[in-house]
Amino acid sequence: MLQFKLVLLGDSSVGKSSIVHRFVKDSFDEFRESTIGAAFLSQSIKLDEDDTVIKFEIWDTAGQERYKSLAPMYYRNANAALVVYDITASDSLSKAQSWVEELKNKVADDKLVICLVGNKLDLCQEDSGKRSVEISDAKQYADEQGLLFFEVSAKTGEKVNDVFKSIGESLYSYKKEELLSKSEQNGTNTHGQVDLQLQKPATSDPTSCCT
Amino acid sequence: MVTNGGDPLRFSTGDGIDILASKEKFINYRFKAVRSPSVPNFHEGNYKNLNSSEPILASPIAAQPNYESDRDTENLVLNSEHDGTNSLIDLYRDEIVHENKDSNDSEEGEIFTRKEEEIENSSEVEQAFSGSPSKLVSVMDNAEHFDRYGFRKQNNFITEGVYNKWWEGYSQYCIRRKHKWVMLLEKSGLSVDNDMPTRFPPRSEKLKRYVRKGIPAEWRGNAWWYFVRGQEKLNKNKDVYEKLLVKMGDLNDEQQRKKLIDLDVIERDLNRTFPDNIHFQKEQFQNKEPPMIQSLRRVLVAFSLYNPKIGYCQSMNFLAGLLLLFMDEERAFWMLVIITSRYLPGVHNVNLEGVNIDQGVLMLCIKEYLPEIWEYIYPKQKLENQHKHDSLNISTEVLKNEFLFKLPPLTLCTASWFMSCFIGIIPIETTLRIWDCLFYEESHFLFKASLAIFKLCEQDIIKDKPLHKTLGQYTLPNSNRTSRYSRLSQDDYDMEIFQIIQSFPKRIIDPNDIFEKIIFKKRIALNRLDQQEIDRCRKYVSNQRLKYKNYKDLIGDQESLKKTTNRMNNNINIINNNNITRESNNNNNSNNNNNNTSSAAESLMKEINMTNDLMNDTLSSEVYGFKKGLSSVHWNNSIKERVKQMRRKREKDYQT
Ligand SMILES: Nc1nc2c(ncn2[C@@H]2O[C@H](COP(=O)(O)OP(=O)(O)OP(=O)(O)O)[C@@H](O)[C@H]2O)c(=O)[nH]1
Ligand SMILES: [Mg+2]
């Protein structure tokens, strides 16, 4: 099992907590308490490739502008970031873009996986007039910036798991590269330790059973 | 920094008559204008009048059977045979019925289009309880699923069964405590008319103990208001709230409203405030906006107009929401003003610096009072950082206190404890007991309660230590790997702590877990923490953070200075090199340049060293002063100022 830290960023009320809740508990509440500071959750998924289990340790942050000053504490050691906007509110995309910029400027790790997520897809499926961010615009931006991109609905659950799966796959492929290059550098001796590391939490992590 | 003047020990205003007079006026006023439409009122007079059965909470007779056994209040005897439990739940259900009896179908105006005359409308109170037959049915069906404040009993951490079992005992406790309070008030010659006392005895150890054991739920609104000297504040600010409401009514203009971004955020949060409390649920009010939400909007918008420095900060919705369950709008508004200025200074400000300061203070408190836990919270980074900084010439004082600037990861969890004063962090009854103490004992109680929570889960935090060790061990063969693994394991360990610190408090359903097990035990060190220590620590942390920031800025300056110096040195070299091949008639000129540049570089280097020395001096001369360190407290001016001064002096020297 591999563990990764993931942080959710985005304007208030775009549905960050709802997405996490859908992912972790597979449920949705029309009215969920607004987040204060941040909440910590975790959830594991299994990738198709090699049956790898990935455990996400998730920080769901508060979206109000002023909480921005606390955000660096949350993304400090993150491996992945989910930057969420609301496809029915165009200003939330520009907020998301400023988050992407901040991440690129402040996070030293160039392996940071960033995924742009447009939420509340269900609203636009009901009534296409509600859409105020075109999928092509967002997609183009994501491509330019080298981000993963999805439109999802926390309410119906559509594509939510795909988001985490694809983040997991990216992280896993980075990890494999890293380990590979390491074992090449260090010769055969370290090979055993690479395996050891991959297995480590499965044998000793007492939390692996919970959520 | 507790800034409201006046001796905190003297809250008895001495002009009780004044308060009574204005209280009367206040009641008139609130019925006429801005009475909170939906104070749920397990304590409201008209509730009692309309009800056939006296609320059990108000009846000393009901509590009599247990009274004798409760003489020794340290030794609670919970008698589960008494049927007060059910009566209390019934009480709640009755209240709902009452609300519906009063129902009428008149339309509620939207706040932003509301005119003065409408506010004057005397049917406000009835409107407030506009329910519907369907609501009656739904709530009647569900009443047993909600507690006496309207919160759903069950949540992710506590089942209804667990809740009911606890409540069976705790409701008995409440009845006994209520009885004691009635006796205390009567002995002090204070009236308990209508079960709504408005004045309370003067401060004393005894009263403090009573407050710590819980203020009767139906008195809370009045008691909090009295203890924080709310009426004083209100008297000094007559009509302010009403005027704010008028101003709010004038915000019709889309243009104007757009300018106040807070309004948007407030709107988005209204339905996300206590979604599991029936007073905040649309479904309970024929899918119309619940009166409680309308009150909440008014209080929050009024506040954002009243104090633009804070405006609206997420978490204030919960503070105001809880206050509204216990008192009317105007009082809730002033309580919010008092909480955000007196008890949580700066915490809700736009830059949230108060949050960081309080987290720094909390870390100091843990370090001081729970050193066993501190070791687990702040172990590795210290060493790592020491390494990192070895190359720079930084004072040990900066290192020693680095956790005040780079707050430990744990504070990611604890920041919200302060922002919402534990709402949503621990179960509601426990939260309310902490609020009782907060308003009587001031902000240090928030820190004390936090420490108590840590103390309660100490075992959970510490038990993971072995894991920590083994991880480090099996990587010993390769020293390169060791640091990597131990860093990993520290991370894992942090995650463990997050899990514990986030979920443990949610299970503290019984307030007496905190109070009986920790707060009332004198020998537990953390109970020595007092308000003065917190005030000093807040000052200290805020100063240190400021200096560190200035220091960082200076370091930033210095980095660029160093770069400039290097560049100049390079230039000098280039010039020198060039000189070798130059014609001799140019030589004089460039030598001049050369001299100027090198002396500038020299002076810059001197300045850099000077700043470092200064920094070392300044930071180490401060003491945060838990009681033992008190003697040597003294503060310095901002270091930036001093550096500026010296720089100016140097420039002058240089010019002459
Ligand atoms: N229709 C629809 N509504 C959604 C969806 N996701 C979230 N919402 C609603 O949007 C509102 C805000 O959702 P939250 O999950 O609380 O938003 P957040 O991003 O966590 O907000 P903050 O905690 O304030 O930062 C809620 O009322 C949700 O019901 C969705 O996929 N579809
Ligand atoms: Mg949220």
Side-chain angles (χ1 to χ4, degrees):
Chain A
M1 192 183 72
L2 295 168
Q3 295 184 45
F4 293 107
K5 261 167 263 158
L6 184 149
V7 61
L8 272 102
L9 301 167
D11 199 7
S12 169
S13 189
V14 295
K16 296 179 295 299
S17 304
S18 301
I19 289 173
V20 180
H21 221 74
R22 170 61 73 188
F23 175 56
V24 174
K25 300 259 163 68
D26 197 20
S27 68
F28 176 81
D29 294 317
E30 200 59 48
F31 297 113
R32 153 167 316 289
E33 304 202 333
S34 46
T35 309
I36 304 171
F40 179 74
L41 299 96
S42 66
Q43 173 70 310
S44 302
I45 56 167
K46 197 176 201 175
L47 299 181
D48 299 333
E49 192 181 348
D50 308 338
D51 275 351
T52 312
V53 174
I54 290 198
K55 182 178 176 191
F56 286 109
E57 282 149 352
I58 305 168
W59 281 109
D60 171 25
T61 65
Q64 195 188 0
E65 189 70 24
R66 69 185 63 184
Y67 281 94
K68 244 185 163 163
S69 62
L70 301 184
M73 297 210 295
Y74 298 98
Y75 62 64
R76 198 150 57 183
N77 294 316
N79 304 103
L82 214 80
V83 182
V84 185
Y85 68 96
D86 174 351
I87 61 175
T88 68
S90 54
D91 58 331
S92 71
L93 178 65
S94 50
K95 290 260 173 62
Q97 290 169 333
S98 74
W99 275 119
V100 171
E101 242 160 73
E102 175 162 345
L103 286 171
K104 294 206 157 179
N105 289 333
K106 299 269 174 67
V107 180
D109 184 3
D110 58 349
K111 298 268 164 50
L112 177 76
V113 175
I114 304 177
C115 182
L116 183 68
V117 173
N119 187 33
K120 308 198 184 177
L121 184 56
D122 59 293
L123 292 176
C124 303
Q125 288 163 340
E126 263 168 37
D127 169 9
S128 58
K130 285 211 171 130
R131 181 182 279 277
S132 70
V133 177
E134 289 308 320
I135 187 164
S136 53
D137 294 346
K139 177 88 177 88
Q140 192 192 339
Y141 171 77
D143 288 345
E144 281 165 15
Q145 299 289 319
L147 319 174
L148 299 170
F149 172 70
F150 289 90
E151 279 194 350
V152 307
S153 165
K155 188 170 181 174
T156 63
E158 188 173 345
K159 293 269 182 48
V160 170
N161 283 335
D162 297 354
V163 169
F164 290 89
K165 212 164 163 186
S166 97
I167 293 176
E169 280 162 0
S170 298
L171 288 169
Y172 182 52
S173 69
Y174 278 143
K175 192 84 192 174
K176 271 201 305 198
E177 259 172 50
E178 188 187 313
L179 295 178
L180 212 66
S181 69
K182 277 237 174 70
S183 58
E184 273 166 13
Q185 275 172 22
N186 297 345
T188 47
N189 199 17
T190 35
H191 187 69
Q193 289 200 2
V194 171
D195 281 347
L196 192 66
Q197 187 180 3
L198 278 170
Q199 290 160 7
K200 177 207 70 177
T203 52
S204 60
D205 178 14
T207 57
S208 54
C209 54
C210 68
T211 44
Chain B
M1 289 101 305
V2 179
T3 49
N4 79 309
D7 180 356
L9 292 173
R10 194 201 66 94
F11 76 87
S12 171
T13 58
D15 55 355
I17 294 166
D18 237 318
I19 288 189
L20 270 181
S22 58
K23 167 79 187 165
E24 242 166 68
K25 211 166 93 221
F26 178 71
I27 289 171
N28 281 336
Y29 168 70
R30 68 180 191 163
F31 274 93
K32 216 169 67 208
V34 290
R35 185 201 177 283
S36 169
S38 65
V39 182
N41 296 338
F42 21 80
H43 57 248
E44 193 74 317
N46 58 356
Y47 158 68
K48 279 178 62 185
N49 298 338
L50 287 168
N51 241 300
S52 49
S53 68
E54 279 286 293
I56 197 104
L57 276 177
S59 162
I61 297 138
Q64 210 69 60
N66 284 320
Y67 176 59
E68 290 301 323
S69 67
D70 193 35
R71 269 273 145 73
D72 177 8
T73 47
E74 304 295 331
N75 243 326
L76 293 175
V77 183
L78 299 179
N79 182 347
S80 57
E81 271 141 46
H82 194 268
D83 65 348
T85 315
N86 288 331
S87 312
L88 282 170
I89 294 168
D90 284 342
L91 168 88
Y92 188 69
R93 189 181 288 139
D94 287 349
E95 183 192 336
I96 303 301
V97 175
H98 154 65
E99 283 190 11
N100 284 287
K101 273 194 214 141
D102 258 1
S103 75
N104 80 32
D105 278 335
S106 55
E107 291 284 310
E108 261 294 339
E110 280 294 322
I111 179 60
F112 292 115
T113 59
R114 205 142 129 157
K115 297 276 146 36
E116 277 265 65
E117 304 88 71
E118 282 169 8
I119 297 175
E120 296 286 326
N121 190 338
S122 62
S123 69
E124 175 85 5
V125 177
E126 286 93 311
Q127 283 177 20
F129 294 112
S130 62
S132 67
S134 71
K135 174 199 159 192
L136 177 70
V137 173
S138 76
V139 175
M140 283 303 286
D141 283 349
N142 288 322
E144 80 266 24
H145 300 309
F146 295 90
D147 71 8
R148 55 177 169 168
Y149 312 108
F151 289 99
R152 186 176 287 282
K153 292 176 182 174
Q154 181 167 348
N155 60 39
N156 286 337
F157 295 86
I158 289 160
T159 64
E160 198 167 318
V162 168
Y163 183 95
N164 285 335
K165 190 145 186 293
W166 160 74
W167 178 241
E168 208 178 289
Y170 192 75
S171 57
Q172 298 294 308
Y173 171 83
C174 291
I175 291 167
R176 288 198 304 276
R177 293 312 307 168
K178 170 76 175 277
H179 183 65
K180 296 224 152 206
W181 273 94
V182 171
M183 306 259 290
L184 178 71
L185 261 65
E186 278 168 357
K187 225 164 81 189
S188 316
L190 297 167
S191 93
V192 195
D193 282 350
N194 287 329
D195 193 28
M196 279 185 75
T198 53
R199 292 170 61 215
F200 294 83
R203 293 179 76 91
S204 67
E205 275 303 305
K206 184 173 185 184
L207 186 60
K208 182 169 113 184
R209 205 173 63 238
Y210 271 56
V211 170
R212 283 185 169 192
K213 292 191 173 205
I215 299 170
E218 57 278 31
W219 295 1
R220 273 199 170 109
N222 282 346
W224 293 350
W225 183 247
Y226 188 78
F227 293 144
V228 304
R229 287 161 282 146
Q231 198 60 42
E232 246 174 69
K233 184 98 185 166
L234 181 61
N235 289 344
K236 275 189 221 142
N237 293 279
K238 286 205 189 86
D239 303 335
V240 168
Y241 184 65
E242 198 169 19
K243 282 192 186 125
L244 287 167
L245 289 190
V246 173
K247 200 168 161 194
M248 189 191 317
D250 292 340
L251 293 174
N252 282 330
D253 185 1
E254 264 303 303
Q255 235 25 40
Q256 253 183 319
R257 290 180 55 189
K258 275 264 163 61
K259 265 187 260 163
L260 295 160
I261 38 165
D262 285 336
L263 293 190
D264 259 0
V265 192
I266 291 172
E267 275 317 303
R268 279 184 263 175
D269 272 1
L270 291 176
N271 290 318
R272 299 194 295 157
T273 307
F274 300 138
D276 61 346
N277 184 301
I278 53 167
H279 303 290
F280 291 81
Q281 288 169 349
K282 261 198 180 124
E283 307 87 73
Q284 311 294 343
F285 299 87
Q286 252 191 345
N287 277 326
K288 277 188 290 188
E289 190 169 64
M292 192 61 96
I293 299 264
Q294 297 169 11
S295 294
L296 183 61
R297 176 186 290 113
R298 286 192 288 268
V299 170
L300 293 176
V301 174
F303 185 94
S304 76
L305 295 171
Y306 175 78
N307 186 342
K309 233 170 102 187
I310 293 178
Y312 173 70
C313 175
Q314 281 185 324
S315 73
M316 282 164 55
N317 54 329
F318 295 110
L319 298 177
L322 191 61
L323 290 168
L324 282 169
L325 285 173
F326 292 90
M327 57 187 69
D328 61 68
E329 257 178 71
E330 189 176 37
R331 287 185 178 201
F333 170 81
W334 288 111
M335 286 288 287
L336 192 61
V337 170
I338 289 168
I339 291 173
T340 52
S341 58
R342 195 186 302 168
Y343 302 126
L344 294 169
V347 164
H348 300 91
N349 280 18
V350 176
N351 63 7
L352 299 184
E353 178 59 7
V355 176
N356 293 324
I357 291 171
D358 278 356
Q359 291 308 298
V361 173
L362 180 64
M363 293 304 110
L364 283 178
C365 290
I366 294 178
K367 191 171 171 225
E368 173 79 15
Y369 289 110
L370 301 169
E372 326 78 51
I373 296 182
W374 177 246
E375 257 180 51
Y376 293 85
I377 291 172
Y378 192 68
K380 277 277 137 48
Q381 293 110 312
K382 217 162 37 179
L383 293 173
E384 267 177 23
N385 287 333
Q386 236 143 12
H387 278 299
K388 231 186 295 166
H389 287 302
D390 266 348
S391 54
L392 290 167
N393 176 22
I394 288 182
S395 79
T396 46
E397 203 61 28
V398 179
L399 271 181
K400 199 183 89 194
N401 271 343
E402 192 161 44
F403 64 92
L404 296 180
F405 326 115
K406 294 194 178 142
L407 292 161
L410 171 78
T411 58
L412 300 173
C413 291
T414 48
S416 58
W417 294 9
F418 290 76
M419 303 198 74
S420 69
C421 292
F422 293 107
I423 299 173
I425 308 295
I426 43 182
I428 193 67
E429 196 66 46
T430 311
T431 305
L432 290 167
R433 288 279 299 275
I434 292 176
W435 280 43
D436 290 346
C437 300
L438 169 66
F439 297 136
Y440 188 84
E441 301 187 43
E442 311 228 345
S443 58
H444 86 278
F445 202 85
L446 291 175
F447 293 90
K448 197 174 270 182
S450 304
L451 292 177
I453 293 172
F454 275 106
K455 185 80 190 159
L456 278 174
C457 58
E458 183 176 7
Q459 287 315 311
D460 294 4
I461 292 178
I462 285 173
K463 76 164 191 264
D464 289 312
K465 175 80 173 180
L467 163 81
H468 190 67
K469 267 191 182 143
T470 34
L471 275 177
Q473 270 165 7
Y474 72 76
T475 55
L476 273 177
N478 185 325
S479 62
N480 246 350
R481 293 257 146 200
T482 312
S483 67
R484 192 190 159 78
Y485 273 104
S486 53
R487 191 175 57 80
L488 265 179
S489 64
Q490 181 57 43
D491 271 7
D492 292 347
Y493 185 64
D494 282 346
M495 297 300 153
E496 290 292 306
I497 294 191
F498 293 154
Q499 297 271 19
I500 295 164
I501 286 304
Q502 197 172 255
S503 54
F504 183 89
K506 297 226 156 70
R507 299 198 175 87
I508 311 179
I509 185 175
D510 187 355
N512 286 329
D513 275 351
I514 288 185
F515 284 89
E516 301 290 333
K517 288 186 192 161
I518 310 285
I519 303 283
F520 291 145
K521 295 232 164 93
K522 285 222 169 70
R523 61 179 171 77
I524 297 182
L526 65 89
N527 286 314
R528 289 202 300 270
L529 179 70
D530 64 23
Q531 190 60 40
Q532 283 170 1
E533 285 181 336
I534 291 302
D535 291 346
R536 274 198 303 269
C537 284
R538 275 177 166 165
K539 214 181 258 173
Y540 172 77
V541 173
S542 120
N543 279 341
Q544 290 275 313
R545 286 182 60 89
L546 198 68
K547 281 173 189 166
Y548 184 77
K549 195 177 159 290
N550 291 339
Y551 178 65
K552 277 276 154 173
D553 291 351
L554 283 173
I555 292 279
D557 279 3
Q558 286 178 25
E559 291 295 309
S560 60
L561 282 179
K562 263 187 201 153
K563 275 183 203 146
T564 331
T565 322
N566 284 342
R567 221 176 306 133
M568 282 196 273
N569 282 334
N570 283 342
N571 285 344
I572 294 167
N573 285 339
I574 294 168
I575 292 167
N576 284 342
N577 288 340
N578 285 347
N579 281 345
I580 299 171
T581 54
R582 273 238 174 106
E583 298 295 329
S584 61
N585 59 342
N586 282 337
N587 234 347
N588 273 346
N589 242 341
S590 42
N591 259 340
N592 263 348
N593 266 343
N594 188 348
N595 282 341
N596 278 343
T597 329
S598 68
S599 62
E602 223 170 74
S603 95
L604 282 172
M605 282 313 286
K606 264 190 197 146
E607 190 175 301
I608 287 169
N609 291 334
M610 199 174 60
T611 329
N612 269 339
D613 292 347
L614 198 63
M615 191 67 195
N616 288 349
D617 274 4
T618 324
L619 277 173
S620 52
S621 65
E622 281 192 1
V623 182
Y624 48 83
F626 285 103
K627 267 163 261 173
K628 54 189 183 197
L630 191 59
S631 54
S632 51
V633 182
H634 89 95
W635 318 115
N636 285 309
N637 293 332
S638 146
I639 184 171
K640 200 162 193 174
E641 264 317 301
R642 290 183 53 184
V643 171
K644 259 192 208 148
Q645 279 172 11
M646 296 192 75
R647 204 177 263 179
R648 249 176 264 135
K649 190 164 162 271
R650 193 151 267 280
E651 267 162 25
K652 246 201 254 152
D653 289 352
Y654 183 63
Q655 277 159 12
T656 54

